[in-house]
């Protein structure tokens, strides 16, 4: 085999590998979008449950008497900000700025954690008042819907944590950037779900008692 | 084997089965097909009508299948073979069209019959309507006659040709109240009230049961539905009013305890608002 | 107190079965498992088993494992059915049969649950795994590791449901466990929890499979295979998997809410406390009705392949068929309420759902006519898959009519929850789903194992099944019209039902003979495998890409990925003698990994702990799952390179149609 032939063979191999990798990325993104859609259906079912049960207070407290809008608004703002900082992390990743990525990831993580703490405190408050998920169908559906979102946030935090660890160790290669992108999709998705929770649970069902 | 013999081998057992079926059906009571109530009769007619309509699809499908399978079998080299003939706009329009036409007809029937035979719709009649409150318990049926102030367990009596309005709930899990000779069923659910309107057109004793699994004693949860003339019905009510037991709260609670294959029992003087109190337990947590 | 917490429900007694039949079954299963483990140890097959099967990510091996588990579960479900037939044939009047009421109800609930979730779903995922990547000209599914995980979760669920034979009891609340009966107050034992957790674990596996196959079909098709050139089986799988992706999350939620009611005291579906049991019925059928189409669509796809291949003719009305699938997918979400017209929703609602239900009959009818006209002007070879198809056409049409009848709410009031309903859905599922998968297994068996199944025995089995089915379920239609309801462990002699129940029992026995013949068929075919060896890779004169590679295919499926020019891609290649000549290049293929198996083991531990309230063990299962996922996703390369030399060696050892086309 002549050198030129060999070179072109090597080139075509490289092109082949590059297109294979692009294909692998594209199917991972696609699969993840399909997953997010199934998660959407999952939350839709929980929203439907809440819609059916929100008036079934069984002589217990109603949404109106229970929720404090400013508190929920604080949670919302924190989560929205975390979505923004998560976007900044992705922007930094595209610019190959590793330390900046780590910084924004850390901020996102802390904001997520703060959200979770606030949510936990709200739950603890209700339970201490005797208004736990056992009290009524309404409270069962409230706790389950919000806690399922909280569970997703917990998984998200775990993911952010491992991403920070991976970026620290491996730098910004194709795989870590891909995982970062997926993670940010997940995080934005959770933000979107929260907007719905805020609107349906706290605003509409809570009756705008500012 | 010749084709004729093959056809015979398939056709013979089919004929034998149809013969046996006719003999069986003529000797047994098939309540859904031989109704004893006005609602059941209309439902049966609807059943037969839909079946005939379906025959317009079934008969072509069955005959086409047999004809095509026989003619285009591999061993028949005389048959035309066109391996690439795979679409025909005309044919496909036909078999999108025929089912659509049939379903269109059936849709109209469905719409009108759903309203005409709505179980909640009272039956218009010159005769007075009897109200019966039905409670499904573990594992028996309680029938309360609020206007006559009597109650019975696992035996229902109604006057023939009188509309009967059933108000139905459950003081246990979900059941389904069904007397096939008289008409369709409806669920009995705790904390909720469903309704059913029936009317017997023949005298007799009919089988009623729960059509929805409700636990250990479910199979024994059947009852007798008596269709009586008005006089016999009155004396049946009188018999109940002479019962030693009255259905006060204490006796009701005793009755509501789980029991299997419960015998028929009669009660007088059911507690006031017993039926709605049973429902309210589940709505507000109020105790009986 | 502390000890009681540690052992959960084990400290409460009632752990081991009290019934002789259950105990015998449990002991039988344990002996079987010990025997298998012993056999593996004695033949020193552990490393082989680990390397070739337990850690595999290859879709063909995963497919075979699905089939094995599904067939075992089919046998379990069939034994349950046999027990029910025996009980109903004998438990009349003063006799109360050989089972107690609660045991009968457990057997009935187990039968439905196992047949749908583990037999039918397993056969379906098995066949999809075996065939789909080959048919679309791919080397594997989009996410092979996730695929393995799906399978192992399915297997863990299957194991968990069978543990209920020996430890605790099973749900007696019917296969869909309607509350309030399935709530803690009315079902206080472990039964319903077994039902919840085995389905939850298997269901999450199914959901992952759905995501995986949607991505595979949309992203991994061979060059040139546009969607409208995709074989009908692949289309039907795409339809079914879209349904999975939309329906299974609802099941996940429903099961979770019931579990919360039972373990944490919430009030979603309780009677009282502000719960709403009707919501459960709505939710479970919002999953349950699409589920029926999830099972039947791939079977329709199989029939499309079988009819076209054995008529040696291209499929009639391909575009109609595709549109029919899409119509069914969309419509199947709008009909769930027809499962409970008797709940009192009101005439308008009932009528709307009734009409929506009937609409599904239109695309289904179109499919039947298209199959018939595929046979028209063909050269039909009546092999055993075609016998299954003929049985399907006759029975399914009949069952479909029964379905349309029940779609009219006013008729349904008289048939709901009667044995007429039972007969109807068994007609649809046995003839539509089971016969379809049997046809598929026979059809693709040579592709997977390299030899054909004995056709004569296959036909006998099909005849026995069809006749047995008519004898077993014909009487149930009549019994329903006589007012016999489902799930009765006893009835009085005055009902006049006895003779028909005995007849149904005889039908069951005929079906059992059919199953026995199927086993003889497999064993006989294995013994005589040299006579039916498939050396061309194309035993039926096939039309689609899976027949273009060797039987069994190499682990990479295709040394050179095929290029598709027309709908019947392989038929076209054969007729144009179009031999792919492009160069073989080194391949990147996924490595084996035990991670999927580990995840399933931890999921099993978690599910088992939740059932038995072992609050110390449950977190261990959960943390195990999380750690396995973390380690897997953060660890290095998951692919290995297969060199050109290796591929050439493998290719030289195999034969396919190309080797014969060249001559």
């Amino acid at each position: 085999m002549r050198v030129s032939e060999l070179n072109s063979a090597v080139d075509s191999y490289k092109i082949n590998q590059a297109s294979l990798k692009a294909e692998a990325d594209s199917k991972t993104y696609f699969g993840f979008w399909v997953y997010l859609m199934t998660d959407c259906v999952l939350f839709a079912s929980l929203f439907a449950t809440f819609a059916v049960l929100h008036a079934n207070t069984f002589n217990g407290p109603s949404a109106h008497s229970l929720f404090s809008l400013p508190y929920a608004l604080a949670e919302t703002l924190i989560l929205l900000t975390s979505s923004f900082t998560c976007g900044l992390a992705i922007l930094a990743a595209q610019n190959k700025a590793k330390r900046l990525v780590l910084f924004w990831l850390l901020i996102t993580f802390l904001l997520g954690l703060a959200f979770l703490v606030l949510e936990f405190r709200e739950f603890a408050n209700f339970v201490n008042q005797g208004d736990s998920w056992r009290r009524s169908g309404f409270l069962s559906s409230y706790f389950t819907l919000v806690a399922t979102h909280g569970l997703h946030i917990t998984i998200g935090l775990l993911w952010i944590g491992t991403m920070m660890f991976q970026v620290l160790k491996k730098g910004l290669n194709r795989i870590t950037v891909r995982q970062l992108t997926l993670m940010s999709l997940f995080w934005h998705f959770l933000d979107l779900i929260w907007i719905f929770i805020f609107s349906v649970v706290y605003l509409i069902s809570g009756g705008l008692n500012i | 084997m010749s084709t004729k013999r093959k056809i015979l081998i398939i056709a013979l057992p089919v004929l034998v089965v149809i013969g046996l079926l006719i003999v069986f059906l003529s000797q047994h009571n098939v309540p859904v097909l031989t109704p004893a109530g006005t609602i059941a009769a209309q439902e049966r007619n609807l059943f037969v009508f839909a079946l005939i309509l379906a025959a317009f699809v079934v008969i072509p499908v069955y005959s086409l299948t047999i004809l095509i399978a026989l003619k285009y079998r591999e061993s028949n080299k005389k048959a035309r073979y066109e391996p690439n003939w795979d679409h025909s706009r005309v044919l496909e329009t036909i078999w999108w069209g025929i089912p659509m036409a049939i379903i269109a007809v059936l849709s109209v029937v469905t719409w009108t019959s759903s309203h005409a035979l709505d179980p909640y719709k009272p039956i218009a009649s010159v005769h007075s309507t009897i109200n019966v409150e039905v409670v499904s318990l573990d594992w028996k049926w309680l029938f309360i006659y609020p206007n006559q102030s009597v109650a019975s367990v696992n035996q229902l009596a109604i006057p023939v040709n009188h509309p009967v309005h059933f108000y139905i709930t459950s003081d246990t899990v979900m059941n389904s109240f069904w007397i096939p000779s008289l008409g369709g069923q409806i669920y009995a659910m705790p904390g909720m009230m469903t309704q059913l309107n029936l009317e017997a057109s023949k005298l007799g004793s009919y089988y009623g049961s729960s059509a929805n699994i409700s636990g250990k004693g479910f199979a024994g949860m059947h009852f007798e539905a008596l269709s009586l003339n008005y006089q016999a019905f009155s004396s049946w009510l009188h018999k109940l009013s002479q019962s030693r037991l009255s259905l006060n709260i204490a006796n009701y609670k005793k009755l509501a305890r789980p029991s299997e294959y419960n015998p028929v029992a009669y009660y007088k003087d059911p507690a006031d608002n017993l039926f709605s109190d049973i429902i309210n337990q589940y709505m507000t947590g109020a105790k009986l | 107190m502390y000890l009681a917490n540690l052992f959960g429900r084990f400290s409460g007694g009632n752990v081991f079965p009290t019934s002789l039949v259950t105990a015998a079954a449990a002991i039988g299963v344990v002996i079987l498992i010990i025997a298998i483990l012993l056999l593996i140890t004695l033949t020193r097959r552990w490393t082989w088993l680990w390397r070739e099967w337990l850690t595999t990510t290859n879709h063909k091996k995963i497919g075979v494992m699905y089939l094995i588990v599904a067939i075992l579960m089919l046998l379990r479900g069939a034994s349950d059915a046999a027990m029910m037939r025996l009980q109903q044939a004998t438990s009349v009047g003063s006799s109360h049969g050989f089972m107690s009421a609660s045991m009968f109800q457990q057997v009935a609930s187990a039968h439905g649950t196992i047949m749908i979730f583990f037999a039918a779903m397993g056969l379906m995922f098995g066949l999809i795994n075996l065939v789909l990547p080959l048919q679309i000209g791919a080397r594997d599914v989009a996410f092979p590791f996730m695929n393995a995980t799906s399978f192992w979760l399915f297997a863990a669920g299957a194991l968990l449901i069978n543990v209920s034979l020996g430890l605790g009891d099973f749900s007696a609340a019917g296969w869909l466990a309607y509350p309030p009966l399935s709530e803690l107050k009315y079902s206080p034992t472990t039964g319903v929890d077994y039902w919840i957790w085995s389905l939850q674990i298997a269901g999450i596996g199914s959901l992952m499979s759905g995501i995986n196959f949607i991505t595979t079909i949309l992203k991994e098709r061979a060059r040139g295979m546009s969607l409208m050139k995709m074989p009908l089986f692949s289309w039907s799988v795409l339809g079914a998997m879209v349904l999975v992706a939309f329906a299974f999350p609802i099941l996940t939620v429903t099961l979770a809410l019931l579990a919360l009611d039972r373990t944490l005291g919430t009030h979603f579906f309780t009677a009282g406390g502000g719960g709403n049991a009707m919501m459960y019925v709505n939710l479970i059928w919002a999953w349950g009705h699409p589920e029926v189409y999830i099972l039947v669509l791939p079977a329709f796809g199989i029939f499309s392949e079988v009819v076209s291949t054995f008529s040696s003719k291209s499929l009639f009305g391909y575009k109609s068929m595709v549109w029919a699938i899409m119509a069914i997918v969309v419509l199947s979400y709008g009909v769930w309420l027809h499962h409970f017209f008797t709940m009192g929703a009101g005439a308008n609602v009932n009528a709307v759902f009734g009409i929506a239900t009937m609409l599904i009959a239109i695309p289904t009818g179109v499919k039947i006519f298209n199959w018939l006209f595929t046979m028209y002007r063909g050269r039909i070879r009546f092999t055993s898959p075609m016998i299954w198809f003929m049985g399907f056409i006759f029975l399914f049409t009949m069952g479909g009519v029964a379905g349309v009848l029940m779609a009219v709410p006013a008729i349904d009031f008289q048939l709901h929850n009667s044995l007429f309903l039972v007969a109807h859905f068994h007609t649809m599922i046995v003839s539509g789903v089971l016969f379809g998968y049997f046809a598929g297994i026979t059809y693709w068996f040579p592709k997977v194992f390299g030899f054909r199944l004995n056709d004569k025995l296959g036909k006998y089995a099909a005849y026995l099944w069809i006749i047995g089915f008519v004898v077993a379920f014909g009487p149930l239609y009549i019994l329903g019209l006589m007012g016999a309801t489902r799930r009765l462990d006893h009835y009085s002699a005055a009902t006049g039902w006895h003779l028909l129940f005995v007849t149904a029992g005889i039908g069951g026995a005929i079906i059992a003979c059919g199953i026995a013949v199927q086993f003889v068929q497999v064993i006989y075919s294995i013994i005589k495998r040299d006579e039916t060896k498939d050396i061309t890779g194309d035993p039926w004169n096939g039309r689609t890409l899976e027949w273009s590679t060797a039987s069994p295919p190499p682990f990479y499926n295709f040394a050179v990925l095929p290029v598709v020019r027309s709908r019947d891609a392989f038929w076209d290649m054969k007729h144009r003698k179009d031999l792919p000549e492009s160069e073989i290049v080194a391949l990147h293929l996924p490595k084996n990994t035990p991670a999927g198996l580990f995840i399933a083991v931890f999921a099993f531990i978690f599910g088992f702990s939740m059932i038995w309230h072992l609050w110390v063990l449950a977190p261990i299962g959960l943390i195990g799952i999380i750690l396995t996922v973390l380690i897997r996703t953060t660890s290095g390369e998951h692919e290995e390179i297969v060199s050109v030399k290796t591929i050439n060696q493998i290719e030289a050892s195999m034969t396919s149609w190309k080797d014969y086309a060249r001559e």
Side-chain angles (χ1 to χ4, degrees):
Chain A
M1 206 190 274
R2 275 181 293 170
V3 177
S4 62
E5 269 180 20
L6 196 68
N7 278 345
S8 80
V10 168
D11 281 350
S12 74
Y13 177 79
K14 275 183 187 161
I15 291 164
N16 194 15
Q17 291 309 303
S19 76
L20 271 180
K21 278 176 183 160
E23 242 172 61
D25 279 357
S26 114
K27 79 180 175 196
T28 311
Y29 289 134
F30 182 85
F32 197 75
W33 274 107
V34 179
Y35 152 71
L36 286 183
M37 198 195 64
T38 64
D39 221 9
C40 243
V41 179
L42 185 130
F43 276 108
S45 312
L46 288 173
F47 276 110
T49 312
F50 181 81
V52 172
L53 295 182
H54 81 277
N56 292 17
T57 52
F58 206 66
N59 298 334
S62 67
H64 187 80
S65 65
L66 206 59
F67 301 142
S68 143
L69 202 59
Y71 196 90
L73 196 63
E75 288 177 285
T76 310
L77 290 176
I78 288 173
L79 206 60
L80 278 176
T81 315
S82 84
S83 218
F84 180 67
T85 58
C86 183
L88 290 177
I90 297 302
L91 223 60
Q94 276 161 1
N95 296 331
K96 303 278 172 215
K98 181 175 158 182
R99 290 175 65 178
L100 206 56
V101 171
L102 285 171
F103 172 74
W104 287 123
L105 282 182
L106 184 67
I107 299 294
T108 312
F109 184 90
L110 291 176
L111 286 169
L113 196 65
F115 170 85
L116 217 53
V117 169
L118 283 182
E119 187 172 305
F120 187 79
R121 274 193 43 179
E122 190 185 27
F123 282 0
N125 247 335
F126 292 159
V127 172
N128 288 337
Q129 287 170 32
D131 301 326
S132 78
W133 52 85
R134 294 165 179 272
R135 183 64 193 81
S136 68
F138 153 64
L139 280 166
S140 299
S141 64
Y142 160 75
F143 273 100
T144 307
L145 172 59
V146 177
T148 305
H149 178 265
L151 195 67
H152 277 71
I153 292 283
T154 314
I155 293 168
L157 289 182
L158 209 64
W159 199 353
I160 296 175
T162 43
M163 280 324 296
M164 284 163 61
F165 179 73
Q166 286 209 75
V167 171
L168 201 66
K169 225 176 86 181
K170 298 176 187 164
L172 294 165
N173 58 32
R174 194 176 64 88
I175 306 263
T176 49
V177 170
R178 185 173 81 194
Q179 289 194 355
L180 268 176
T181 315
L182 296 179
M183 188 214 80
S184 79
L185 272 179
F186 185 67
W187 198 253
H188 294 318
F189 167 75
L190 293 185
D191 207 35
L192 192 72
I193 295 290
W194 179 259
I195 303 283
F196 275 99
I197 291 179
F198 179 68
S199 319
V200 172
V201 176
Y202 294 96
L203 278 183
I204 299 172
S205 165
L208 298 161
N209 52 336
I210 302 169
Chain B
M1 209 174 347
S2 74
T3 317
K4 268 186 190 165
R5 272 183 66 189
K6 264 189 186 169
I7 293 174
L8 205 67
I9 283 178
I10 295 176
L12 210 63
V14 172
L15 290 176
V16 169
V17 168
I18 292 174
L20 284 174
L21 210 63
I22 291 170
V23 172
F24 182 87
L25 292 181
S26 64
Q27 288 177 350
H28 288 80
N29 178 26
V30 186
V32 174
L33 298 183
T34 54
T38 47
I39 299 290
Q42 292 177 60
E43 285 166 344
R44 191 265 321 264
N45 295 346
L46 211 53
F47 179 86
V48 174
F49 171 77
L51 205 58
I52 292 168
L53 209 56
F56 283 98
V57 170
V58 174
I59 293 169
V61 166
Y62 279 14
S63 12
L64 272 178
T65 308
I66 293 167
L67 289 178
I68 292 174
L70 283 176
K71 179 150 183 206
Y72 295 100
R73 65 189 191 276
E74 198 185 24
S75 56
N76 182 12
K77 300 288 183 204
K78 285 181 292 180
R80 240 163 106 183
Y81 175 48
E82 290 184 46
N84 295 319
W85 183 68
D86 63 0
H87 66 279
S88 149
R89 188 157 291 177
V90 178
L91 285 174
E92 287 186 68
T93 311
I94 291 175
W95 57 69
W96 276 96
I98 291 178
M100 273 187 197
I102 293 176
I103 297 302
V105 174
L106 209 51
S107 296
V108 175
V109 174
T110 301
W111 185 265
T112 49
S113 68
S114 295
H115 288 86
L117 292 172
D118 182 359
Y120 283 42
K121 200 179 105 183
I123 298 169
S125 168
V126 290
H127 299 290
S128 59
T129 300
I130 307 291
N131 291 328
V132 182
E133 294 166 341
V134 181
V135 185
S136 73
L137 299 168
D138 274 345
W139 284 278
K140 64 227 141 205
W141 291 96
L142 170 65
F143 304 104
I144 303 170
Y145 293 75
N147 306 111
Q148 290 80 5
S149 270
V150 291
S152 64
V153 171
N154 280 352
Q155 190 182 60
L156 168 79
I158 54 171
V160 71
N161 293 331
H162 280 257
V164 184
H165 197 136
F166 294 99
Y167 301 86
I168 302 161
T169 190
S170 174
D171 197 3
T172 171
V173 302
M174 195 165 105
N175 280 287
S176 192
F177 177 71
W178 189 28
I179 310 165
S181 293
L182 301 185
Q185 66 194 287
I186 199 109
Y187 283 158
M189 295 174 285
M192 270 166 280
M193 183 183 77
T194 49
Q195 300 173 48
L196 184 64
N197 286 277
L198 299 174
E199 184 187 83
S201 55
K202 286 180 194 160
L203 296 173
S205 159
Y206 306 108
Y207 177 81
S209 70
S210 170
N212 197 72
I213 189 166
S214 54
K216 203 157 60 113
F218 157 68
M221 208 173 152
H222 47 75
F223 59 92
E224 190 182 21
L226 298 169
S227 165
L228 308 170
N229 61 40
Y230 203 84
Q231 229 164 6
F233 176 64
S234 301
S235 57
W236 183 81
L237 289 175
H238 183 73
K239 185 167 66 178
L240 265 61
S241 65
Q242 300 302 307
S243 167
R244 284 184 297 110
L245 293 167
S246 69
L247 196 59
N248 52 33
I249 300 297
N251 276 341
Y252 173 76
K253 281 185 175 167
K254 219 181 273 173
L255 176 68
R257 281 186 211 141
S259 66
E260 296 176 43
Y261 295 93
N262 213 82
V264 173
Y266 300 137
Y267 291 92
K268 63 180 177 190
D269 304 332
D272 288 343
N273 301 325
L274 179 60
F275 186 75
S276 49
D277 287 348
I278 289 170
I279 295 176
N280 276 336
Q281 294 177 90
Y282 297 96
M283 302 299 285
T284 59
K287 293 265 182 298
L288 266 182
Chain C
M1 188 59 205
Y2 175 75
L3 220 60
N5 277 337
L6 194 62
F7 291 106
R9 281 171 160 176
F10 279 108
S11 49
N14 290 333
V15 172
F16 296 107
T18 44
S19 135
L20 206 65
V21 188
T22 326
I27 292 166
V29 170
V30 170
I31 290 175
L32 188 74
I33 290 173
I34 292 173
I36 292 170
L37 294 182
L38 215 66
L39 192 73
I40 298 168
T41 314
L42 287 179
T43 52
R44 296 169 188 277
R45 289 289 189 134
W46 277 111
T47 36
W48 167 82
L49 195 68
W50 180 258
R51 215 179 45 227
E52 297 291 319
W53 296 95
L54 301 185
T55 61
T56 189
T57 51
N58 184 306
H59 70 95
K60 297 176 289 295
K61 288 185 174 166
I62 290 171
V64 171
M65 291 194 290
Y66 261 115
L67 287 190
I68 291 171
V69 176
I71 287 167
L72 285 174
M73 296 305 276
L74 190 67
L75 288 177
R76 161 86 207 271
S79 322
D80 290 335
M83 286 165 74
M84 284 154 70
R85 283 284 128 264
L86 194 61
Q87 172 80 3
Q88 291 194 319
T90 54
S91 178
V92 55
S94 58
S95 158
H96 276 255
F98 72 106
M99 281 191 276
S100 69
S102 77
M103 189 183 165
F104 177 85
Q105 289 166 358
Q106 284 179 51
V107 168
S109 308
H111 168 76
T113 308
I114 285 175
M115 284 304 202
I116 294 290
F117 284 93
F118 296 104
M121 287 293 272
L123 291 175
M124 178 188 81
F125 278 126
L127 281 168
I128 293 175
N129 262 294
L130 288 174
V131 180
L132 184 99
L134 289 164
Q135 197 172 53
I136 59 171
R139 293 216 164 88
D140 207 320
V141 297
F143 311 111
F145 158 66
M146 198 161 102
N147 195 25
T149 311
S150 288
F151 165 73
W152 285 112
L153 288 175
F154 167 78
L159 185 64
L160 196 56
I161 205 170
N162 280 296
V163 170
S164 69
L165 277 176
L167 294 175
D169 56 358
F170 190 65
S171 167
W175 82 280
L176 284 183
Y178 279 11
L181 180 58
S182 58
E183 290 286 357
L184 201 61
K185 184 178 171 196
Y186 299 101
S187 299
T189 56
T190 52
V192 177
D193 299 296
Y194 269 112
W195 182 84
I196 291 173
W197 289 103
S198 56
L199 297 195
Q200 191 66 294
I201 291 171
I204 288 170
S206 302
L207 182 57
M208 284 160 57
S209 288
I211 296 171
N212 206 341
F213 284 112
I214 290 176
T215 313
T216 307
I217 294 172
L218 293 180
K219 287 282 175 185
E220 303 275 283
R221 294 194 309 283
R223 207 140 57 82
M225 187 185 275
S226 62
L227 280 176
M228 286 314 260
K229 286 196 181 112
M230 196 161 72
L232 238 281
F233 175 70
S234 302
W235 255 115
S236 67
V237 173
L238 180 60
M241 293 304 121
V242 169
L243 288 176
V244 167
F246 277 101
F248 268 77
I250 308 176
L251 177 71
T252 307
V253 167
T254 314
L255 292 173
L257 300 187
L258 186 60
L260 286 172
D261 270 5
R262 290 178 58 86
T263 38
L264 289 182
T266 54
H267 291 287
F268 285 103
F269 313 123
T270 50
N276 186 338
M278 292 195 292
M279 185 171 69
Y280 178 92
V281 180
N282 275 283
L283 282 171
I284 200 84
W285 283 114
W287 159 82
H289 197 82
E291 167 68 9
V292 178
Y293 288 93
I294 289 167
L295 294 177
V296 86
L297 278 178
F300 284 173
I302 292 168
F303 283 132
S304 296
E305 304 291 331
V306 162
V307 171
S308 167
T309 301
F310 291 109
S311 303
S312 303
K313 189 160 164 280
S314 58
L315 187 76
F316 198 90
Y318 175 91
K319 279 184 187 160
S320 277
M321 290 300 237
V322 172
W323 281 108
I325 289 174
M326 290 190 207
I328 290 173
V329 167
V330 173
L331 287 174
S332 67
Y333 277 100
V335 301
W336 78 91
L337 194 128
H338 72 215
H339 294 273
F340 45 94
F341 283 143
T342 53
M343 204 173 250
N348 287 338
V349 175
N350 278 358
V352 166
F353 277 90
I355 292 167
T357 305
M358 291 170 193
L359 289 180
I360 296 192
I362 299 171
T364 315
V366 167
K367 290 186 87 74
I368 286 181
F369 281 111
N370 275 330
W371 286 320
L372 289 181
F373 275 76
T374 303
M375 292 157 69
Y376 185 72
R377 294 184 188 165
R379 281 263 184 275
I380 311 166
R381 283 167 280 156
F382 281 101
T383 53
S384 53
M386 277 306 278
I387 304 297
W388 291 116
F389 172 73
M390 297 301 279
F392 156 75
I393 285 284
F394 281 99
L395 295 176
F396 197 80
T397 308
M398 192 177 81
V401 169
V404 170
L405 291 180
M406 283 189 296
V408 182
I411 301 179
D412 179 73
F413 296 149
Q414 277 285 48
L415 301 173
H416 181 66
N417 270 353
S418 75
L419 288 176
F420 188 95
L421 170 79
V422 172
H424 156 70
F425 69 68
H426 277 86
T427 313
M428 303 319 261
I429 292 175
V430 173
S431 77
V433 176
L434 208 55
F435 285 11
Y437 294 160
F438 285 157
I441 289 172
T442 320
Y443 180 61
W444 283 305
F445 191 90
K447 180 48 63 189
V448 182
F449 296 102
F451 60 96
R452 278 177 283 127
L453 287 170
N454 182 291
D455 198 51
K456 194 166 251 178
L457 287 167
K459 281 185 189 171
Y460 291 155
Y463 291 141
L464 283 169
W465 261 96
I466 295 166
I467 294 167
F469 184 85
V470 172
V471 179
F473 289 91
L476 297 197
Y477 279 108
I478 302 167
L479 278 167
L481 298 177
M482 293 175 81
T485 49
R486 62 199 292 201
R487 296 159 175 160
L488 288 178
D489 58 277
H490 177 262
Y491 49 94
S492 74
T495 52
W497 301 340
H498 190 217
L499 185 63
L500 289 176
F501 272 124
V502 171
T503 315
I506 293 168
I510 299 173
I511 294 176
C513 294
I515 296 176
V517 172
Q518 285 177 302
F519 274 91
V520 173
Q521 181 198 21
V522 172
I523 294 164
Y524 181 87
S525 308
I526 291 173
I527 295 169
K528 299 270 184 183
R529 63 184 175 280
D530 288 338
E531 291 173 17
T532 58
K533 209 168 161 68
D534 173 27
I535 47 172
T536 62
D538 178 24
W540 315 114
N541 195 5
R543 318 181 68 85
T544 40
L545 287 177
E546 71 269 28
W547 306 110
S548 71
T549 182
S551 295
F555 61 88
Y556 46 78
N557 292 355
F558 303 95
V560 178
L561 287 179
V563 177
V564 173
R565 289 161 192 264
S566 69
R567 230 166 249 165
D568 289 320
F570 176 51
W571 181 267
D572 188 52
M573 269 180 211
K574 279 191 288 192
H575 285 258
R576 287 190 294 104
K577 302 239 170 188
D578 176 17
L579 298 170
E581 291 295 349
S582 51
E583 206 182 343
I584 289 176
V585 292
L587 302 175
H588 288 251
L589 288 172
K591 273 195 249 180
N592 281 4
T593 169
L597 177 62
F598 289 160
I599 290 172
V601 168
F602 286 122
F604 180 90
I605 292 172
F606 178 68
F608 186 81
S609 317
M610 294 306 287
I611 292 165
W612 286 95
H613 296 176
L614 305 173
W615 307 129
V616 181
L617 200 56
I620 295 176
L622 211 52
I623 292 166
I625 295 171
I626 294 168
L627 279 182
T628 317
V629 173
L630 279 184
I631 291 169
R632 163 77 195 182
T633 48
T634 55
S635 63
E637 268 304 302
H638 297 140
E639 293 190 334
E640 59 191 356
I641 297 174
V642 186
S643 71
V644 176
K645 198 177 141 199
T646 321
I647 297 172
N648 277 327
Q649 271 173 1
I650 294 171
E651 287 294 300
S653 69
M654 291 177 163
T655 55
S656 70
W657 74 285
K658 291 173 222 154
D659 302 288
Y660 298 88
R662 279 202 186 91
E663 283 163 10

